[in-house]
Amino acid sequence: MRLRDHLRHRVARGRTTIMRRWYLALGIALLMLPVLVAAHEGTGVYYTKTDVRFLPPLPIKGNVFQSDPLQVVPFASIVVHRFNADNRDVSPRSASAPLYGSGIRKGHLVYLPNSGSQWQVSYSRAAITVEVVGESAEDVAAERDQIVKRISALAEATQEERDIGPPLRITTEVDLTTAFITYVGVRNSRAELALIFLTVGLAVGIPLAADPIIVRLQKVTGWRAKTYGGTRRRMPTSTSSPDREDQIAPPVT
């Protein structure tokens, strides 16, 4: 019984504090309003994840690529490093989550797929993965095609610089089974619900936390607001001498 009365008293006192500091709660609600509107109107993104495969040259007598096609993997790694160096790609690389999962709405990521773990990498496929995310399917397709052409050009140029003849050159091709674009929607209802709970929590918690601080500051300054004759004046709480010229006194009626 005492516990229930105590809780009832605490709730009533908290409600009184929030009503007294209503401007803080209103300010929090107004600050969170644009965030709630943005979450309600949020749209998804278009995403593609395409593989560019590196193929060894046609069978020729004495060609080491015939016995182990994975010998092409180091060359694919060179192309990846050249591409990212030329384009100054600073997009975060994630081995488990797709590009849109990192919060990026427009950008790309080019890397050599790792079939191992974060402690021990393993490149088991001679392919370069291209991830592109954007706000329209046309933009995603255009950027993907541009990146694929750039990778093929870098592969060709790298071999030309080393005077490798066309019959011995490594070629590239797009894996058509991965060359598709999907739309990734957002779950606005969950985001809105979470933001509503956050707004209510801040609107309740900040006035309760700020009220003791405001009261303490008012006591330190020693000033109170009083009303005389319909106008608000500020008077010191401490007593002062009656013969002071600057003393504020209520009008005599």
Side-chain angles (χ1 to χ4, degrees), residues 79-87 108 110 147 150-151 154:
V79 175
V80 166
H81 283 83
R82 291 194 61 176
F83 179 89
N84 291 329
D86 293 343
N87 292 272
H108 65 267
V110 179
I147 292 174
R150 179 59 179 164
I151 291 175
L154 283 174

Side-chain angles (χ1 to χ4, degrees), residues 7-8 13 28 35 47 49 60 74-75 79 101-102 112 127 132 135 159 171 173 178 186 189 207 215 227 237 251:
L7 292 176
R8 187 181 304 166
R13 187 171 63 180
I28 294 298
V35 181
Y47 170 77
K49 183 178 180 180
I60 298 177
F75 178 75
V79 175
S102 58
L112 205 65
V132 181
E135 297 182 354
Q159 296 178 91
T171 57
E173 71 172 10
T178 61
V186 294
S189 58
V215 173
T227 304
T237 56

Side-chain angles (χ1 to χ4, degrees), residues 191-203:
E192 292 174 6
L193 186 62
L195 288 173
I196 289 174
F197 279 116
L198 177 62
T199 302
V200 173
L202 292 176

Side-chain angles (χ1 to χ4, degrees), residues 38-53:
H40 178 72
E41 298 179 352
T43 58
V45 295
Y46 290 88
Y47 170 77
T48 182
K49 183 178 180 180
T50 305
D51 288 340
V52 180
R53 295 187 299 184

Side-chain angles (χ1 to χ4, degrees), residues 30 63 66 83 90 110 112 126 139 151 167 170 187 192 201 235 241:
L30 292 177
N63 188 354
Q66 296 180 41
F83 179 89
V90 295
V110 179
L112 205 65
D139 293 341
I151 291 175
I170 299 171
R187 299 178 179 178
E192 292 174 6
M235 294 190 61
S241 175

Side-chain angles (χ1 to χ4, degrees), residues 5 11 23 28 32 49 73 84-85 89 95 100 117 147 164 173 179 195 197 223 238 241-243:
D5 293 340
V11 171
Y23 50 89
I28 294 298
M32 294 297 295
K49 183 178 180 180
V73 174
N84 291 329
D89 185 14
Y100 62 83
S117 63
I147 292 174
I164 299 177
E173 71 172 10
L195 288 173
F197 279 116
W223 291 84
S238 60
S241 175
D243 57 350

Side-chain angles (χ1 to χ4, degrees), residues 79 147-160 172:
V79 175
I147 292 174
V148 169
K149 290 180 181 179
R150 179 59 179 164
I151 291 175
S152 299
L154 283 174
E156 191 73 15
T158 302
Q159 296 178 91
E160 288 181 358
T172 61

